[in-house]
Each structure stands twice: as structure tokens, then as C-alpha cells.
Amino acid sequence: MPSKIDLPPHNARAYLEPGPIVLVSSRHQDETNVMTLGWHTIMEFTPSLVGCMISAGNHSFELVRQSGECVINLPTLDMIDTVVRIGNSSGRSVDKFAANGLTADPAERVAAPLIRQCYANFECRLVDDALVDRYSFFIFEIVKAHRARRPRNPQTIHYTGDGEFMVAGKMVSRRALFRPAMLGNGRS
Amino acid sequence: MPSKIDLPPHNARAYLEPGPIVLVSSRHQDETNVMTLGWHTIMEFTPSLVGCMISAGNHSFELVRQSGECVINLPTLDMIDTVVRIGNSSGRSVDKFAANGLTADPAERVAAPLIRQCYANFECRLVDDALVDRYSFFIFEIVKAHRARRPRNPQTIHYTGDGEFMVAGKMVSRRALFRPAMLGNGRS
């Protein structure tokens, strides 16, 4: 993956709203982990909020809760086998960075690492844990965002259950039908 | 759209987790409305929970809050212009069903209507409003689900901002790499 450029945090929606599987990296004290996540939603542009279901059965749950931080990394089709392996193993028994040949780059605003091989990286701080105990639902603010310079439209993968993924297809513009106030916050 | 078949509610994830734009229909007393929604996430399989951001600026906000119900309808590429028109108009001034030629079919478990032209319809009851005042985040239980008999893989549309949509592309299976306990809850 070529070197990355900064992205305004509110433009993270352009990559997360379409619903891709993401890799969540976390670090607490001396421990680092990474997990797959398909249950997330954008919640606000400014501040740039994203809600994530990180179930308590995941080894990452306590790392994220204790540190109050994570990085949401955006993998593409070339990483699909890695994504599946990460989703089918536990950080309790495996160093998932080493086992999957992932490179941990330092983040700017959080201790959790960026995954270099991913198309984009969103550094997150936990801003609201009101629903963590009841639903394992974490509300993060994206405080720093990075993306690869190209391509404009990454081949993200979208999980449909039962071992099957939908791959991001063609782009279609309907800009001409929008009211101007409804535009913006996209990939351009 | 041909007649629909029942879908177990926990299989709704197969269609919602990939992150499509959906149409939320609502009814309260004598008023019916429909809005576009891109900010949603699955939260649980059983009960089948889905969290949705319905901002207070939408005419649908009070209809959903007061009735405690809605239907999440899944449109496909053939409906993209309708989706955009719905997202760029307000139910305060327009009957969006009539203006867009949508057919309101009766739901089984809620008063809000099913949109016949959509590929799937998920009847929802509001089960937790703890984050409605702070974030406009509604947690619904899908109590009844319907989908078209075919195709297996609908051409859903996924909003990336700025008037542009990503269309669902090819399907890729990695079943062979999954632990058996991690499979299920898919389209099959």
C-alpha cells in the first residue's frame, strides 16, 4: 500500500457508511490485538462519530474499554483471507499481527497501531460508553483519518454471513438530482 | 417485484450488515411517511436488533418515536432515482408514497406500511430509546421479515456521500476458511 494522505475525519463516512468489514486494532499496556467488525454505523459528521458493536466475547473488548481507544482499519479484497483468519482466531492465543504478516505503524493520536496494509485508518477515541454494558456498543470519535492516495474507490468487502462477502461494485452518480445543501462529505 | 417469502428475523443481517441505503416507512395516527437512511447497524441476532440514526430534523422522527414502530425497506438499483428523490424532499410538504409511485402494503406486526417495490421489508418495534435524546439513535427489534424470492443477491445501493452510490458487486465465498461455529445467518 503506497504512503497515505490525511483525510478530514468527517469524510470517513465516505468509506464507512457503505458498510464494509473493518479491522479494529487496539492496545492496552503491553498488549496489542486486532479483530474483524461488521456491525458499525456512522452517527455524526462533526464531531465525526462512529458506533461499533464489540461483543464482550472478543479479546479486544477489554483492550478497547480499558484504553478508551482503537483504530478502525479498512481492508480491501486482496486482504480477504487475512480478514477471515483474523475473524476465526482469538488474540488470547495468537499474536494476530505476526501470524498474518500485518505491519503495525504508529498512530498520531492514539496508542493503538495503524495497519499499514489497509486502505484507510481511522484513529478513534471512546467518547460514550453508555451502552457498553447493555449492548457492547461503543461510541467513538474519529480524531485522525488517513487513506491511500489511490484508487479513489477501494474494493471493500461487505459481509453477508455464512462465509460469503459482497465486493464493492461500480459507482453511480446521481449528483444532478440532489439539492446542493445535501451534497458534500464524499470521496472527492 | 414478485410476491415475497418470510425470512427468519435473524437472517436480516445478510441484507443489512453489508450497509445498503434503506427506506424507513412510518405511520402515526393518520400520517404516513418514508425517509432514506444510511446510518444503521445490526446489534444482535436473537433478538434481531438494529440501531438506526434518525435525526430529529426528519419529519419521520416524531412518527417513529410516537408510534414506536417502523418498517426498514431494502431498495435496489432500479429504485435509485426514487431513493434520491425521497432523500431530497420532506414529508412535511409532500406525500412521498404518492409522489414516487410507491405501493403501501399492510405489515403483519406493525401499523407502518411495507413498500411493495422494495426487495425486502423488515417490520420493527422500538425496544430501547436510551440514546434517542442525545444522538437520535433508535434501537429496534425486527419482529417480522420478508424478502423477494429472487434474485438471491439483490443489487443494493450503498451511499458514499456527495451524490454518489456504490452498487453491490460480485459475491465471494470463503466458507472453507471458517470455523463451523462461525458460519450461518446468511442468505442461504
Side-chain angles (χ1 to χ4, degrees):
Chain A
M1 190 58 72
S3 65
K4 288 171 184 156
I5 57 177
D6 287 354
L7 181 73
H10 63 263
N11 285 72
R13 83 78 75 92
Y15 303 96
L16 294 178
E17 181 171 335
I21 278 281
V22 296
L23 297 175
V24 173
S25 51
S26 55
R27 177 169 293 169
H28 181 58
Q29 295 171 348
D30 290 338
E31 198 168 3
T32 302
N33 198 22
V34 56
M35 65 173 284
T36 55
L37 180 78
W39 293 4
H40 57 79
T41 181
I42 294 292
M43 297 182 71
E44 185 55 270
F45 288 123
T46 307
S48 180
L49 300 184
V50 55
C52 297
M53 291 290 298
I54 299 176
S55 95
N58 286 291
H59 188 59
S60 297
F61 178 88
E62 284 297 338
L63 301 187
V64 172
R65 182 149 79 164
Q66 298 294 331
S67 66
E69 296 177 349
C70 73
V71 176
I72 297 174
N73 304 272
L74 185 65
T76 42
L77 180 58
D78 55 300
M79 296 179 69
I80 189 168
D81 289 355
T82 297
V83 167
V84 173
R85 277 194 299 265
I86 288 171
N88 283 272
S89 59
S90 170
R92 277 183 197 81
S93 48
V94 178
D95 174 344
K96 293 205 244 182
F97 270 82
N100 292 289
L102 298 177
T103 309
D105 280 334
E108 288 185 29
R109 306 280 301 275
V110 301
L114 313 178
I115 299 176
R116 185 184 301 178
Q117 288 82 2
C118 286
Y119 177 86
N121 315 97
F122 307 116
E123 303 183 23
C124 294
R125 290 224 179 94
L126 179 60
V127 292
D128 196 328
D129 64 359
L131 291 190
V132 169
D133 284 338
R134 205 178 333 171
Y135 294 105
S136 302
F137 187 72
F138 293 73
I139 302 176
F140 298 109
E141 179 180 352
I142 299 174
V143 293
K144 179 81 191 177
H146 318 258
R147 73 165 174 87
R149 222 174 261 280
R150 55 182 183 280
R152 180 172 184 273
N153 301 311
Q155 277 201 296
T156 49
I157 56 177
H158 301 246
Y159 194 53
T160 67
D162 211 31
E164 293 194 316
F165 297 82
M166 178 273 280
V167 181
K170 68 179 175 183
M171 298 290 293
V172 172
S173 175
R174 281 298 181 276
R175 280 182 58 89
L177 294 180
F178 277 66
R179 288 190 288 125
M182 303 293 284
L183 292 171
N185 295 312
R187 294 183 182 183
S188 51
Chain B
M1 189 60 71
S3 65
K4 288 173 183 155
I5 58 177
D6 286 354
L7 180 73
H10 63 262
N11 284 71
R13 83 80 76 91
Y15 302 96
L16 293 178
E17 181 171 333
I21 278 281
V22 297
L23 297 175
V24 174
S25 51
S26 54
R27 178 170 294 168
H28 181 58
Q29 295 170 348
D30 290 338
E31 197 168 4
T32 302
N33 199 21
V34 55
M35 66 173 283
T36 55
L37 180 78
W39 293 4
H40 57 79
T41 181
I42 294 291
M43 297 182 71
E44 185 57 89
F45 288 123
T46 307
S48 180
L49 300 184
V50 56
C52 296
M53 291 289 299
I54 299 177
S55 94
N58 286 290
H59 189 60
S60 297
F61 178 89
E62 285 297 339
L63 302 186
V64 173
R65 182 149 79 165
Q66 298 294 331
S67 66
E69 297 177 348
C70 72
V71 176
I72 298 174
N73 304 273
L74 185 65
T76 42
L77 180 59
D78 55 300
M79 296 178 69
I80 188 168
D81 288 355
T82 298
V83 167
V84 173
R85 277 194 298 264
I86 289 170
N88 283 272
S89 59
S90 171
R92 276 183 199 82
S93 48
V94 177
D95 174 344
K96 293 204 244 183
F97 270 83
N100 292 290
L102 299 177
T103 309
D105 281 335
E108 289 186 28
R109 305 280 300 275
V110 301
L114 313 178
I115 300 177
R116 185 183 299 177
Q117 288 81 2
C118 286
Y119 176 87
N121 315 97
F122 307 116
E123 303 183 24
C124 294
R125 290 224 180 95
L126 179 61
V127 291
D128 196 328
D129 64 359
L131 291 190
V132 169
D133 284 337
R134 206 178 333 170
Y135 293 106
S136 301
F137 187 72
F138 293 73
I139 302 177
F140 298 109
E141 179 180 351
I142 299 173
V143 293
K144 179 81 191 176
H146 318 258
R147 72 166 174 85
R149 223 173 259 281
R150 55 183 183 278
R152 180 171 185 275
N153 301 311
Q155 277 201 296
T156 50
I157 55 177
H158 301 246
Y159 194 53
T160 67
D162 211 31
E164 293 195 316
F165 296 81
M166 178 272 281
V167 181
K170 67 179 176 183
M171 297 290 292
V172 172
S173 175
R174 283 296 182 277
R175 281 181 58 90
L177 294 180
F178 277 68
R179 289 190 287 125
M182 304 292 285
L183 292 171
N185 294 312
R187 293 183 182 184
S188 52

